[in-house]
Structures are given as C-alpha cells and as structure tokens.
Amino acid sequence: IIDGPRRISYRDMFGRCRRAADALRKAGVGSLDTVSVFAPNSVAMLEMHYAAPMAGAVLNAINFRLDAPTVAFILEHAESKVFLFDSELGPVARAALAQVKRPLTVVEAAAPGHTAKGDFVEYEAFLASGDPEGGIDWPEEEWRAISLNYTSGTTGNPKGVVCHHRGAYLNALGQGLEI
C-alpha cells in the first residue's frame, strides 16, 4: 500500500486492521454499531474498510466533498459510535461535530503533510491501543450489514442504503469477472 511517502505491506496491513478492530471494540463498538469515516483515499480509510467489519461494525464512508451540516446529519442519522476524520478535512469535521448532539469517539488521522491538532485521539495512537492478534468477529450470516452509504441529498436530507456481506461479496466477484 502506498500513501504518499508511506509504504505498508499487506501482511502489515492485516495486523494493523486487526489492531484497529480491537481498538474499535475497546472504544465500545459492538455488533452492528456504525463507524463513520470522513477521509479521502488513504491508509486509514482503507484499513477501516476491513477493521470495522472485523469488529462486527458497519462502515459508513462519508463523501469528503460534503459540507458540515450534511456530515452532521449523517453522523446523527447513522447513530455513529465512532467518527474518524482526516486532518486535511478538519475544518469541516469540527464544524460538523459542533452540530452533533450525542457523544462520539472521535479519531483524527494525520494526512501526509498535515498534523493532527491534538484535540482528539490520533489514528496511530488509536491503533496502538489495539492488539494485532485481536479476534475477528465473523458475521453469523451473510445478510448481516457491512456498510451504510448515503446519497448526496440533492432532494433534501441524504438517504441511507445498507449493504450486506453477501452483496459486497457478489459485487467484488462481479468486478473480477467483468470482461
């Protein structure tokens, strides 16, 4: 995995994802809880695509082009338990958090060339709190939710769509079989 100057092997990524899943569980994330991520394509975003389901949670990847009121709406509507944001998107993330009325665990990932402000736990410190041998919460059945995605809200508030493990698997298979 290449992200700016960083290079991470898939073996190391697997350990980081298990560590992140364990850190999510230690933060109180349980079965079918929502983990929201507000970031461009980055190591943290990629790892959360694996770590959230490994913790039994549902991933909510938020479009990083959205404004603060829309992000706040999604965080509330999705009943997010954890909100991870990229430091590059800090101003919008902080403005959105100011509008959220429930407590959230907030994690800030320092983008290449940026530094975390220090008012929230930093992503690498969050990862360090997890066990790289932490367990994986496998879904009991294939219809269990894996992701929650929102529309851009062009006709009002965004609408959420849930995808299950079976649908994610079939979509991945379909992508590999396209000619």
Side-chain angles (χ1 to χ4, degrees), residues 9-158:
S9 72
Y10 283 113
R11 179 184 311 267
D12 289 341
M13 183 184 117
F14 180 60
R16 288 173 59 84
C17 290
R18 288 183 73 173
R19 189 181 289 273
D22 191 58
L24 288 170
R25 283 189 291 271
K26 287 177 180 174
V29 171
S31 179
L32 298 177
D33 284 335
T34 303
V35 174
S36 294
V37 182
F38 186 52
N41 292 340
S42 64
V43 171
M45 177 62 93
L46 177 63
E47 289 173 349
M48 281 298 120
H49 272 77
Y50 294 94
M54 289 169 93
V58 177
L59 176 71
N60 168 228
I62 301 173
N63 182 341
F64 64 88
R65 292 176 183 90
L66 297 177
D67 62 12
T70 306
V71 172
F73 173 84
I74 291 170
L75 292 172
E76 289 281 8
H77 190 263
E79 298 178 7
S80 301
K81 201 119 186 220
V82 171
F83 178 48
L84 185 151
F85 71 91
D86 189 286
S87 59
E88 183 178 7
L89 305 171
V92 175
R94 283 177 174 78
L97 285 167
Q99 298 174 46
V100 174
K101 293 169 181 52
R102 352 178 259 87
L104 286 165
T105 297
V106 182
V107 180
E108 183 176 0
H114 291 81
T115 56
K117 286 198 173 196
D119 43 353
F120 302 110
V121 64
E122 203 279 320
Y123 181 66
E124 293 299 327
F126 184 72
L127 247 62
S129 73
D131 181 355
E133 299 298 320
I136 298 172
D137 294 340
W138 298 100
E140 300 87 36
E141 46 103 21
E142 63 190 3
W143 300 105
R144 183 179 176 151
I146 191 170
S147 67
L148 171 60
N149 303 303
Y150 281 83
T151 65
S152 60
T154 54
T155 59
N157 287 330

Side-chain angles (χ1 to χ4, degrees), residues 161-176:
V161 177
V162 177
C163 183
H164 45 69
H165 283 259
R166 178 181 174 79
Y169 168 77
L170 292 174
N171 278 330
L173 227 93
Q175 291 297 313

